[in-house]
Amino acid sequence: MIRTERNWKLLSIVGFLVFLFYMYIAYRTPLTHDDWTWGMAKGMERFHEGFKDYNGRYFGNYTELLITRVDWLRIFIMGLFGALLVILPALIAKTNSIGVYLLSFLLFLTVPANMFAQTYGWAAGFSNYNTAAVFTLIFLLVVKNVFYDKTPKYSIWLTILMVPLGIISQLFVEHATLYNIIAAIFIIVWAFIRFHKFFWLHITYLISTIIGAAIMFSNGAYARIFSGEDTYRSVDSDMGIFAKMYDTFKTTMYQYLVMNNVGLNIVLALIAIFVLVKVAQNVSTVKLVFKGFFIIVLTIYPLYQPVVKGIFDISSETTTTFEAYLSLLFYLVLVATVLMFIPKAGLKAELTFYLISVVTLAAPLFFVTPFGPRNFIICYMFFVLFAVRTVQFLQEEGYLNLRALYLPLFALVMAFVLAYSYVFTQIGQANDARVKSMKEQAAAGEKVIVVKRLPYQQYLWMSTPIQDGPHAPIFAEYYKLPSGVTLKIVPYKTTK
């Protein structure tokens, strides 16, 4: 595809519009859950104590402290990193196609509601997970050339920049910290296999990630976790390794990792089917059998969640186990499609690397509890990266005319953008009214303060404290309600 100045100017405009969208979402999203604690004196106490025995997510904690205190900074940071999550996968795919950027944006707009709530809808989640995803993407953007035919060249300044990048990347969330070291090792090994040499940039990044990991895990919190002294987080040692992995995967892991990603799964399946139909031609009989089986799996799986669970509402312990195996089969079919039918060795390795990264990131979560949808936003990001890179390949090789899909993609993106804008406008207005009402009740000397729930709570992480729960007094203190008041939580539609 010919690169033109007009294309890059247009892409810059698209990126800026994505930035404005996520800024607006952040502007209309109230602080929730433990954001209230971070935004008060307790947050600064943790800072002055160096987060001793709390966690080693130092840069995530710094980010949380800033964005819970400075509204404009929260809006800017969440807008910037939200946009970078969309733009960087397309840049890594080495494209200036509007269609690929629209696809990347669409896929991030279709994240499951519970994942959205614990990342975009929760400042603390965003500070650790979305930021970690972006820093990993920046590294992959730098080293993506190891999958090309030409020997990479890196400037001395870029190599030096790997030091702060490697260290900072490690101080957000633990499973990303472990993954970054593994990814750095893989890049070194693959580059040596491909070009028969080591690159100082890759080595510098690996050393920096090890230093960053040492800083993170030197925090006393992790010794408490492994000793069983932590009251919130723990390492399950009651079951054997394989029994624990099996139990975790078939109960919750498969849902967060694969099945709940309904929109993403449909796109992944369509892309893989397109590869099988357009690329995998004139193949052997054995491959033809596999091709047919893969197409069947890729057709059935994306429809399972919306049809079997959505329309027929079929769900039980038996179906849960079946769903886990079906999810595993879907993932393995994606991997096998790449290994068997993608023609270029470099691209085959790159796409496989993205898919393997999904399970590599999820692996530590088999052993540490609790975990939730937020832990899988980086896994989701790798699926998106896989999707946009494969689409770019199909377009470059002439298998797919993406221009014909520009209008449908744009229409879908606009539908989601307008829906989210409406939802968060309602949330923001309801929150403003709630705060005003609480202040008026407090000024009138009320001892029982009525607190309405916010609309569309599925897109926010505990936006209203549980009545008489541990967050209720923190919520009251954050909004400077008089001491001794009792909160009465009522539904959104209820009037006082």
Side-chain angles (χ1 to χ4, degrees), residues 239-249 366-367:
M239 302 174 67
I241 292 177
F242 293 107
K244 171 62 179 174
M245 291 178 66
Y246 175 73
D247 183 70
T248 301
F249 181 76
F366 281 111
F367 309 104

Side-chain angles (χ1 to χ4, degrees), residues 4 39 50 172 191 372:
T4 66
F172 288 101

Side-chain angles (χ1 to χ4, degrees), residues 102-119:
L102 288 173
L103 177 62
S104 182
F105 191 19
L106 177 64
L107 292 177
F108 278 109
L109 289 171
T110 60
V111 296
N114 57 4
M115 185 182 289
F116 190 102
Q118 291 192 0
T119 51

Side-chain angles (χ1 to χ4, degrees), residues 175-194:
H175 64 303
T177 298
L178 298 173
Y179 169 79
N180 288 333
I181 294 175
I182 295 171
I185 293 171
F186 171 82
I187 293 297
I188 290 172
V189 172
W190 174 255
F192 182 78
I193 293 172
R194 194 75 186 277

Side-chain angles (χ1 to χ4, degrees), residues 321-371:
T321 302
F322 170 75
E323 290 164 7
Y325 282 116
L326 188 60
S327 299
L328 178 61
L329 179 61
F330 176 73
Y331 169 80
L332 291 176
V333 164
L334 291 176
V335 175
T337 297
V338 172
L339 293 176
M340 295 176 66
F341 299 108
I342 291 294
K344 298 181 179 180
L347 180 63
K348 191 192 298 283
E350 182 182 1
L351 295 178
T352 305
F353 169 64
Y354 297 151
L355 290 175
I356 296 299
S357 292
V358 171
V359 295
T360 304
L361 273 158
L365 303 175
F366 281 111
F367 309 104
V368 179
T369 57
F371 63 79

Side-chain angles (χ1 to χ4, degrees), residues 31-43 46 54 64 68 434 438-439 451 462-487 489:
L31 297 180
T32 64
H33 198 252
D34 59 348
D35 295 338
W36 304 316
T37 303
W38 281 102
M40 296 190 299
K42 183 63 177 177
R46 293 169 180 169
Y54 185 71
E64 174 73 348
T68 53
R434 179 169 79 172
M438 290 190 302
K439 297 292 187 183
V451 180
M462 195 184 285
S463 58
T464 305
I466 298 172
Q467 189 161 321
D468 301 323
H471 287 92
I474 299 171
F475 178 87
E477 184 182 353
Y478 179 80
Y479 286 106
K480 297 181 173 58
L481 301 179
S483 59
V485 300
T486 301
L487 301 182
I489 311 300

